[in-house]
Amino acid sequence: MDAQGYNCFVDRDKMDAAIQDLGPKELSCTELQELKQLARQGYWARSYALRGKVYQRLIRDIPCRTVTPDASVYSDVVGKIVGKHSGSSLPLPEFVDNTQVPSYCLNPRGEGAVRKILLCIANQFPDVSFCPALPAVVALLLHYSTDEAECFEKACRILACNDPSRKLIDQSFLAFESSCMTFGDLVNKYCQAAHKLMVAVSEDVLQVYADWQRWLFGELPLSYFARVFDVFLVEGYKVLYRVALAILKFFHKVRAGQPLESDNVKQDIRAFVKDIAKTVSPEKLLEKAFAIRLFSRKEIQLLQMANEKALKRRGITVKQKRQFVHLAVHAENFHSEIVSVKEMRDIWSWVPERFALCQPLLLFSSLQHGYSLTRFYFQCEGHEPTVLLIKTTQKEVCGAYLSTDWSERNKFGGKLGFFGTGECFVFRLQPEVQRYEWVVIKHPELTRPVSSETTATPALLCHSASSGASDRLSPFLAARHFNLPSKTESLFMAGGSDCLIIGGGGGQALYVDGDLNRGRTGHCDTFNNQPLCSENFLIAAVEAWGFQDPDIQ
């Protein structure tokens, strides 16, 4: 180490320009809450030496597998693996997926050391099959390690974390891809303006969101990435979602109304992140990230597991070419009496990622099957989720995304009872487009997650009254996961012999009579919506659409 505390892997001149070393030298706090606050405030970000000490402590405290490679293992294997090759000429392991090693103010020796460490990790972790984030992590940790062996040990401890509730780095394509889908779901709910822009300018919005980890682990400048990593080590994976969402919000704020710099929004976002210092400081980026009121960690785990389950069902467990989401709604195969191809694609851009690649399947059409609610239920039962579309005689168009099989209505013994989850939403398309989601998503202050003793965690199974299945995961955004002040905020969908209701509490977002002839709409507590069309309306047409997996027909 030199006088400034830099090791032999760091380019001192570049480092002095990137991060000033002006902060405190010691950290005495031991309480997690205080540590979280200090990490968010950047307490040790101002001291190169203190950051090194904190990283050492935080990584040492990660619960790991019984047999986790340490520094001595690196000393034993590095010579056999690297041989006489210079670090800069070494190939990168396949699991990094062609990700380049970010320089992060490392000198040539440091950049070569990162390659050596990555190859030794590949040797010791044969189960790590896809981990494009690792080069950035190793490059950063090398700054705060006395030698390559110590850096190797720190990276190994992060990979070997065995706490099921503490996800750190994706290590398989299945985990990576489901994280990308989960990020897309979060954008859809928390960055609706940015999502609308992405849908408008990109041929495949899923491809844009699949790049989210690269924004953090590669494109962010060192001083920003180090601040994110500070908080990540204390709080875990959820921080990464927060920061990526904040980046997208800033990108939209800067670029909204401006022509994109290229015809590739993916490249534009990368360029924006690389030059993010022109727009926002690290402090403001984190401030924006933590102002986003995200779902609880357990709820995000449920969403991630639902996405993994959908990928496994399609057999997508290794890297393969992604299908364009727009192709899910084929112009030549799609026909509706109510919506155009473009309007259906807009609806498809709102649905959860795990269903976005499915093709729309017409289940019910009043013009084909008649104006009968009984026939509507018959055609829809066995399908989950569904999209309800209504066209009025005034040519207004509205509808709902409904998360749960209509057969659930039968468990109420003929009485009208509400069911469904917080993934339901209502919308109108004509005369103007507007979507209304579950009120809790935009107003989390209405509720707080129930305690770990009473909530269904991802590891616990939900015994469904309708299916009797004992292997079904508790649904994402099930109302029972939340302490709600009253049931009026969770009245998602209900169906009886004489009517169908979407949204309740203080009114109904949609009410349709048993003859599919008349309806009404108004504000309801569940979706906090405005009327979706004329408050009392006559129905011209009703359709219900399901989701057909293109790989399972």
PDB file of all heavy atoms in Angstrom, residues 210-234:
ATOM      1  N   ALA A 210     -33.661  -6.380 -20.029  1.00  0.00           N
ATOM      2  CA  ALA A 210     -32.671  -7.439 -19.806  1.00  0.00           C
ATOM      3  C   ALA A 210     -31.271  -6.863 -19.609  1.00  0.00           C
ATOM      4  O   ALA A 210     -30.359  -7.575 -19.183  1.00  0.00           O
ATOM      5  CB  ALA A 210     -32.672  -8.415 -20.981  1.00  0.00           C
ATOM      6  N   ASP A 211     -31.109  -5.583 -19.890  1.00  0.00           N
ATOM      7  CA  ASP A 211     -29.813  -4.914 -19.774  1.00  0.00           C
ATOM      8  C   ASP A 211     -29.612  -4.254 -18.402  1.00  0.00           C
ATOM      9  O   ASP A 211     -28.574  -3.642 -18.161  1.00  0.00           O
ATOM     10  CB  ASP A 211     -29.721  -3.834 -20.863  1.00  0.00           C
ATOM     11  CG  ASP A 211     -28.338  -3.700 -21.463  1.00  0.00           C
ATOM     12  OD1 ASP A 211     -27.599  -4.698 -21.512  1.00  0.00           O
ATOM     13  OD2 ASP A 211     -27.988  -2.584 -21.893  1.00  0.00           O
ATOM     14  N   TRP A 212     -30.583  -4.409 -17.505  1.00  0.00           N
ATOM     15  CA  TRP A 212     -30.563  -3.587 -16.290  1.00  0.00           C
ATOM     16  C   TRP A 212     -29.340  -3.837 -15.421  1.00  0.00           C
ATOM     17  O   TRP A 212     -28.795  -2.891 -14.832  1.00  0.00           O
ATOM     18  CB  TRP A 212     -31.848  -3.796 -15.476  1.00  0.00           C
ATOM     19  CG  TRP A 212     -31.921  -5.053 -14.679  1.00  0.00           C
ATOM     20  CD1 TRP A 212     -32.227  -6.298 -15.118  1.00  0.00           C
ATOM     21  CD2 TRP A 212     -31.675  -5.192 -13.271  1.00  0.00           C
ATOM     22  NE1 TRP A 212     -32.207  -7.211 -14.089  1.00  0.00           N
ATOM     23  CE2 TRP A 212     -31.875  -6.572 -12.949  1.00  0.00           C
ATOM     24  CE3 TRP A 212     -31.320  -4.317 -12.246  1.00  0.00           C
ATOM     25  CZ2 TRP A 212     -31.718  -7.064 -11.649  1.00  0.00           C
ATOM     26  CZ3 TRP A 212     -31.169  -4.806 -10.957  1.00  0.00           C
ATOM     27  CH2 TRP A 212     -31.366  -6.157 -10.668  1.00  0.00           C
ATOM     28  N   GLN A 213     -28.864  -5.082 -15.343  1.00  0.00           N
ATOM     29  CA  GLN A 213     -27.705  -5.325 -14.492  1.00  0.00           C
ATOM     30  C   GLN A 213     -26.445  -4.725 -15.088  1.00  0.00           C
ATOM     31  O   GLN A 213     -25.539  -4.310 -14.358  1.00  0.00           O
ATOM     32  CB  GLN A 213     -27.530  -6.827 -14.259  1.00  0.00           C
ATOM     33  CG  GLN A 213     -28.582  -7.421 -13.354  1.00  0.00           C
ATOM     34  CD  GLN A 213     -28.190  -8.777 -12.795  1.00  0.00           C
ATOM     35  OE1 GLN A 213     -27.014  -9.125 -12.713  1.00  0.00           O
ATOM     36  NE2 GLN A 213     -29.170  -9.556 -12.393  1.00  0.00           N
ATOM     37  N   ARG A 214     -26.387  -4.654 -16.410  1.00  0.00           N
ATOM     38  CA  ARG A 214     -25.221  -4.049 -17.038  1.00  0.00           C
ATOM     39  C   ARG A 214     -25.121  -2.566 -16.696  1.00  0.00           C
ATOM     40  O   ARG A 214     -24.020  -2.023 -16.591  1.00  0.00           O
ATOM     41  CB  ARG A 214     -25.285  -4.235 -18.563  1.00  0.00           C
ATOM     42  CG  ARG A 214     -24.130  -3.560 -19.283  1.00  0.00           C
ATOM     43  CD  ARG A 214     -23.994  -3.998 -20.707  1.00  0.00           C
ATOM     44  NE  ARG A 214     -22.941  -3.244 -21.378  1.00  0.00           N
ATOM     45  CZ  ARG A 214     -22.365  -3.615 -22.503  1.00  0.00           C
ATOM     46  NH1 ARG A 214     -22.740  -4.738 -23.100  1.00  0.00           N
ATOM     47  NH2 ARG A 214     -21.439  -2.877 -23.055  1.00  0.00           N
ATOM     48  N   TRP A 215     -26.283  -1.889 -16.540  1.00  0.00           N
ATOM     49  CA  TRP A 215     -26.218  -0.481 -16.140  1.00  0.00           C
ATOM     50  C   TRP A 215     -25.432  -0.342 -14.848  1.00  0.00           C
ATOM     51  O   TRP A 215     -24.632   0.596 -14.704  1.00  0.00           O
ATOM     52  CB  TRP A 215     -27.628   0.083 -15.906  1.00  0.00           C
ATOM     53  CG  TRP A 215     -28.584  -0.081 -17.044  1.00  0.00           C
ATOM     54  CD1 TRP A 215     -28.291  -0.356 -18.354  1.00  0.00           C
ATOM     55  CD2 TRP A 215     -30.017   0.012 -16.977  1.00  0.00           C
ATOM     56  NE1 TRP A 215     -29.438  -0.442 -19.092  1.00  0.00           N
ATOM     57  CE2 TRP A 215     -30.518  -0.222 -18.275  1.00  0.00           C
ATOM     58  CE3 TRP A 215     -30.915   0.281 -15.943  1.00  0.00           C
ATOM     59  CZ2 TRP A 215     -31.886  -0.197 -18.560  1.00  0.00           C
ATOM     60  CZ3 TRP A 215     -32.272   0.292 -16.222  1.00  0.00           C
ATOM     61  CH2 TRP A 215     -32.741   0.062 -17.521  1.00  0.00           C
ATOM     62  N   LEU A 216     -25.665  -1.259 -13.912  1.00  0.00           N
ATOM     63  CA  LEU A 216     -25.030  -1.175 -12.593  1.00  0.00           C
ATOM     64  C   LEU A 216     -23.631  -1.763 -12.604  1.00  0.00           C
ATOM     65  O   LEU A 216     -22.678  -1.144 -12.128  1.00  0.00           O
ATOM     66  CB  LEU A 216     -25.888  -1.908 -11.555  1.00  0.00           C
ATOM     67  CG  LEU A 216     -27.367  -1.518 -11.476  1.00  0.00           C
ATOM     68  CD1 LEU A 216     -28.066  -2.377 -10.430  1.00  0.00           C
ATOM     69  CD2 LEU A 216     -27.525  -0.056 -11.136  1.00  0.00           C
ATOM     70  N   PHE A 217     -23.511  -2.978 -13.141  1.00  0.00           N
ATOM     71  CA  PHE A 217     -22.246  -3.715 -13.094  1.00  0.00           C
ATOM     72  C   PHE A 217     -21.492  -3.535 -14.412  1.00  0.00           C
ATOM     73  O   PHE A 217     -21.340  -4.470 -15.185  1.00  0.00           O
ATOM     74  CB  PHE A 217     -22.499  -5.204 -12.855  1.00  0.00           C
ATOM     75  CG  PHE A 217     -23.148  -5.518 -11.540  1.00  0.00           C
ATOM     76  CD1 PHE A 217     -24.519  -5.685 -11.464  1.00  0.00           C
ATOM     77  CD2 PHE A 217     -22.396  -5.652 -10.389  1.00  0.00           C
ATOM     78  CE1 PHE A 217     -25.126  -5.996 -10.255  1.00  0.00           C
ATOM     79  CE2 PHE A 217     -22.996  -5.961  -9.176  1.00  0.00           C
ATOM     80  CZ  PHE A 217     -24.365  -6.121  -9.108  1.00  0.00           C
ATOM     81  N   GLY A 218     -21.027  -2.325 -14.667  1.00  0.00           N
ATOM     82  CA  GLY A 218     -20.251  -2.117 -15.881  1.00  0.00           C
ATOM     83  C   GLY A 218     -20.310  -0.703 -16.416  1.00  0.00           C
ATOM     84  O   GLY A 218     -19.283  -0.094 -16.706  1.00  0.00           O
ATOM     85  N   GLU A 219     -21.536  -0.150 -16.550  1.00  0.00           N
ATOM     86  CA  GLU A 219     -21.650   1.181 -17.137  1.00  0.00           C
ATOM     87  C   GLU A 219     -21.518   2.298 -16.107  1.00  0.00           C
ATOM     88  O   GLU A 219     -20.999   3.370 -16.412  1.00  0.00           O
ATOM     89  CB  GLU A 219     -22.988   1.320 -17.883  1.00  0.00           C
ATOM     90  CG  GLU A 219     -23.221   0.299 -18.976  1.00  0.00           C
ATOM     91  CD  GLU A 219     -22.216   0.372 -20.116  1.00  0.00           C
ATOM     92  OE1 GLU A 219     -21.418   1.326 -20.159  1.00  0.00           O
ATOM     93  OE2 GLU A 219     -22.209  -0.537 -20.964  1.00  0.00           O
ATOM     94  N   LEU A 220     -22.014   2.088 -14.900  1.00  0.00           N
ATOM     95  CA  LEU A 220     -21.906   3.134 -13.869  1.00  0.00           C
ATOM     96  C   LEU A 220     -20.441   3.456 -13.588  1.00  0.00           C
ATOM     97  O   LEU A 220     -19.615   2.544 -13.459  1.00  0.00           O
ATOM     98  CB  LEU A 220     -22.549   2.680 -12.561  1.00  0.00           C
ATOM     99  CG  LEU A 220     -24.023   2.975 -12.298  1.00  0.00           C
ATOM    100  CD1 LEU A 220     -24.396   2.483 -10.917  1.00  0.00           C
ATOM    101  CD2 LEU A 220     -24.347   4.459 -12.437  1.00  0.00           C
ATOM    102  N   PRO A 221     -20.081   4.734 -13.486  1.00  0.00           N
ATOM    103  CA  PRO A 221     -18.705   5.095 -13.103  1.00  0.00           C
ATOM    104  C   PRO A 221     -18.357   4.529 -11.727  1.00  0.00           C
ATOM    105  O   PRO A 221     -19.245   4.242 -10.913  1.00  0.00           O
ATOM    106  CB  PRO A 221     -18.742   6.627 -13.072  1.00  0.00           C
ATOM    107  CG  PRO A 221     -19.912   7.014 -13.912  1.00  0.00           C
ATOM    108  CD  PRO A 221     -20.922   5.913 -13.753  1.00  0.00           C
ATOM    109  N   LEU A 222     -17.070   4.373 -11.471  1.00  0.00           N
ATOM    110  CA  LEU A 222     -16.601   3.745 -10.236  1.00  0.00           C
ATOM    111  C   LEU A 222     -17.191   4.385  -8.986  1.00  0.00           C
ATOM    112  O   LEU A 222     -17.649   3.686  -8.078  1.00  0.00           O
ATOM    113  CB  LEU A 222     -15.070   3.808 -10.179  1.00  0.00           C
ATOM    114  CG  LEU A 222     -14.427   3.357  -8.855  1.00  0.00           C
ATOM    115  CD1 LEU A 222     -14.749   1.898  -8.568  1.00  0.00           C
ATOM    116  CD2 LEU A 222     -12.916   3.582  -8.896  1.00  0.00           C
ATOM    117  N   SER A 223     -17.177   5.722  -8.897  1.00  0.00           N
ATOM    118  CA  SER A 223     -17.633   6.378  -7.674  1.00  0.00           C
ATOM    119  C   SER A 223     -19.116   6.091  -7.410  1.00  0.00           C
ATOM    120  O   SER A 223     -19.546   6.015  -6.256  1.00  0.00           O
ATOM    121  CB  SER A 223     -17.397   7.894  -7.751  1.00  0.00           C
ATOM    122  OG  SER A 223     -18.051   8.450  -8.879  1.00  0.00           O
ATOM    123  N   TYR A 224     -19.906   5.905  -8.470  1.00  0.00           N
ATOM    124  CA  TYR A 224     -21.330   5.586  -8.323  1.00  0.00           C
ATOM    125  C   TYR A 224     -21.505   4.117  -7.947  1.00  0.00           C
ATOM    126  O   TYR A 224     -22.277   3.793  -7.039  1.00  0.00           O
ATOM    127  CB  TYR A 224     -22.072   5.873  -9.633  1.00  0.00           C
ATOM    128  CG  TYR A 224     -22.232   7.342  -9.946  1.00  0.00           C
ATOM    129  CD1 TYR A 224     -21.154   8.120 -10.344  1.00  0.00           C
ATOM    130  CD2 TYR A 224     -23.476   7.965  -9.857  1.00  0.00           C
ATOM    131  CE1 TYR A 224     -21.303   9.458 -10.641  1.00  0.00           C
ATOM    132  CE2 TYR A 224     -23.638   9.310 -10.154  1.00  0.00           C
ATOM    133  CZ  TYR A 224     -22.555  10.056 -10.540  1.00  0.00           C
ATOM    134  OH  TYR A 224     -22.705  11.385 -10.833  1.00  0.00           O
ATOM    135  N   PHE A 225     -20.805   3.233  -8.677  1.00  0.00           N
ATOM    136  CA  PHE A 225     -20.948   1.813  -8.409  1.00  0.00           C
ATOM    137  C   PHE A 225     -20.500   1.477  -6.986  1.00  0.00           C
ATOM    138  O   PHE A 225     -21.121   0.656  -6.299  1.00  0.00           O
ATOM    139  CB  PHE A 225     -20.154   0.985  -9.419  1.00  0.00           C
ATOM    140  CG  PHE A 225     -20.203  -0.494  -9.160  1.00  0.00           C
ATOM    141  CD1 PHE A 225     -21.415  -1.174  -9.148  1.00  0.00           C
ATOM    142  CD2 PHE A 225     -19.045  -1.220  -8.909  1.00  0.00           C
ATOM    143  CE1 PHE A 225     -21.473  -2.545  -8.897  1.00  0.00           C
ATOM    144  CE2 PHE A 225     -19.094  -2.591  -8.659  1.00  0.00           C
ATOM    145  CZ  PHE A 225     -20.309  -3.252  -8.648  1.00  0.00           C
ATOM    146  N   ALA A 226     -19.423   2.116  -6.533  1.00  0.00           N
ATOM    147  CA  ALA A 226     -18.942   1.852  -5.175  1.00  0.00           C
ATOM    148  C   ALA A 226     -19.992   2.252  -4.141  1.00  0.00           C
ATOM    149  O   ALA A 226     -20.203   1.536  -3.150  1.00  0.00           O
ATOM    150  CB  ALA A 226     -17.629   2.599  -4.923  1.00  0.00           C
ATOM    151  N   ARG A 227     -20.680   3.372  -4.364  1.00  0.00           N
ATOM    152  CA  ARG A 227     -21.739   3.790  -3.430  1.00  0.00           C
ATOM    153  C   ARG A 227     -22.889   2.778  -3.427  1.00  0.00           C
ATOM    154  O   ARG A 227     -23.447   2.458  -2.381  1.00  0.00           O
ATOM    155  CB  ARG A 227     -22.276   5.179  -3.814  1.00  0.00           C
ATOM    156  CG  ARG A 227     -21.355   6.330  -3.489  1.00  0.00           C
ATOM    157  CD  ARG A 227     -21.138   6.510  -1.990  1.00  0.00           C
ATOM    158  NE  ARG A 227     -22.377   6.601  -1.245  1.00  0.00           N
ATOM    159  CZ  ARG A 227     -23.088   7.709  -1.077  1.00  0.00           C
ATOM    160  NH1 ARG A 227     -22.643   8.839  -1.603  1.00  0.00           N
ATOM    161  NH2 ARG A 227     -24.197   7.699  -0.367  1.00  0.00           N
ATOM    162  N   VAL A 228     -23.251   2.286  -4.619  1.00  0.00           N
ATOM    163  CA  VAL A 228     -24.309   1.279  -4.703  1.00  0.00           C
ATOM    164  C   VAL A 228     -23.871   0.004  -3.985  1.00  0.00           C
ATOM    165  O   VAL A 228     -24.641  -0.595  -3.225  1.00  0.00           O
ATOM    166  CB  VAL A 228     -24.652   0.970  -6.179  1.00  0.00           C
ATOM    167  CG1 VAL A 228     -25.630  -0.197  -6.275  1.00  0.00           C
ATOM    168  CG2 VAL A 228     -25.225   2.209  -6.864  1.00  0.00           C
ATOM    169  N   PHE A 229     -22.623  -0.391  -4.198  1.00  0.00           N
ATOM    170  CA  PHE A 229     -22.117  -1.616  -3.590  1.00  0.00           C
ATOM    171  C   PHE A 229     -22.038  -1.493  -2.074  1.00  0.00           C
ATOM    172  O   PHE A 229     -22.272  -2.472  -1.347  1.00  0.00           O
ATOM    173  CB  PHE A 229     -20.742  -1.954  -4.173  1.00  0.00           C
ATOM    174  CG  PHE A 229     -20.323  -3.382  -3.984  1.00  0.00           C
ATOM    175  CD1 PHE A 229     -20.875  -4.390  -4.759  1.00  0.00           C
ATOM    176  CD2 PHE A 229     -19.382  -3.728  -3.023  1.00  0.00           C
ATOM    177  CE1 PHE A 229     -20.495  -5.719  -4.589  1.00  0.00           C
ATOM    178  CE2 PHE A 229     -18.995  -5.047  -2.844  1.00  0.00           C
ATOM    179  CZ  PHE A 229     -19.546  -6.046  -3.628  1.00  0.00           C
ATOM    180  N   ASP A 230     -21.715  -0.302  -1.569  1.00  0.00           N
ATOM    181  CA  ASP A 230     -21.711  -0.060  -0.123  1.00  0.00           C
ATOM    182  C   ASP A 230     -23.050  -0.476   0.492  1.00  0.00           C
ATOM    183  O   ASP A 230     -23.112  -1.186   1.506  1.00  0.00           O
ATOM    184  CB  ASP A 230     -21.498   1.431   0.180  1.00  0.00           C
ATOM    185  CG  ASP A 230     -20.104   1.922  -0.171  1.00  0.00           C
ATOM    186  OD1 ASP A 230     -19.217   1.085  -0.422  1.00  0.00           O
ATOM    187  OD2 ASP A 230     -19.911   3.153  -0.211  1.00  0.00           O
ATOM    188  N   VAL A 231     -24.144   0.012  -0.123  1.00  0.00           N
ATOM    189  CA  VAL A 231     -25.478  -0.249   0.417  1.00  0.00           C
ATOM    190  C   VAL A 231     -25.899  -1.690   0.133  1.00  0.00           C
ATOM    191  O   VAL A 231     -26.548  -2.339   0.960  1.00  0.00           O
ATOM    192  CB  VAL A 231     -26.502   0.746  -0.175  1.00  0.00           C
ATOM    193  CG1 VAL A 231     -27.834   0.617   0.551  1.00  0.00           C
ATOM    194  CG2 VAL A 231     -25.991   2.177  -0.070  1.00  0.00           C
ATOM    195  N   PHE A 232     -25.518  -2.197  -1.031  1.00  0.00           N
ATOM    196  CA  PHE A 232     -25.843  -3.570  -1.408  1.00  0.00           C
ATOM    197  C   PHE A 232     -25.308  -4.581  -0.391  1.00  0.00           C
ATOM    198  O   PHE A 232     -26.005  -5.526  -0.007  1.00  0.00           O
ATOM    199  CB  PHE A 232     -25.267  -3.840  -2.803  1.00  0.00           C
ATOM    200  CG  PHE A 232     -25.178  -5.286  -3.184  1.00  0.00           C
ATOM    201  CD1 PHE A 232     -26.312  -6.004  -3.546  1.00  0.00           C
ATOM    202  CD2 PHE A 232     -23.961  -5.938  -3.202  1.00  0.00           C
ATOM    203  CE1 PHE A 232     -26.227  -7.340  -3.915  1.00  0.00           C
ATOM    204  CE2 PHE A 232     -23.854  -7.273  -3.575  1.00  0.00           C
ATOM    205  CZ  PHE A 232     -24.999  -7.975  -3.920  1.00  0.00           C
ATOM    206  N   LEU A 233     -24.077  -4.387   0.081  1.00  0.00           N
ATOM    207  CA  LEU A 233     -23.497  -5.317   1.051  1.00  0.00           C
ATOM    208  C   LEU A 233     -24.258  -5.318   2.373  1.00  0.00           C
ATOM    209  O   LEU A 233     -24.296  -6.326   3.076  1.00  0.00           O
ATOM    210  CB  LEU A 233     -22.029  -4.980   1.303  1.00  0.00           C
ATOM    211  CG  LEU A 233     -21.015  -5.451   0.247  1.00  0.00           C
ATOM    212  CD1 LEU A 233     -19.605  -5.035   0.655  1.00  0.00           C
ATOM    213  CD2 LEU A 233     -21.083  -6.970   0.050  1.00  0.00           C
ATOM    214  N   VAL A 234     -24.885  -4.194   2.687  1.00  0.00           N
ATOM    215  CA  VAL A 234     -25.638  -4.103   3.943  1.00  0.00           C
ATOM    216  C   VAL A 234     -27.082  -4.578   3.758  1.00  0.00           C
ATOM    217  O   VAL A 234     -27.619  -5.315   4.586  1.00  0.00           O
ATOM    218  CB  VAL A 234     -25.635  -2.650   4.470  1.00  0.00           C
ATOM    219  CG1 VAL A 234     -26.476  -2.538   5.747  1.00  0.00           C
ATOM    220  CG2 VAL A 234     -24.214  -2.182   4.746  1.00  0.00           C
TER     221      VAL A 234
END
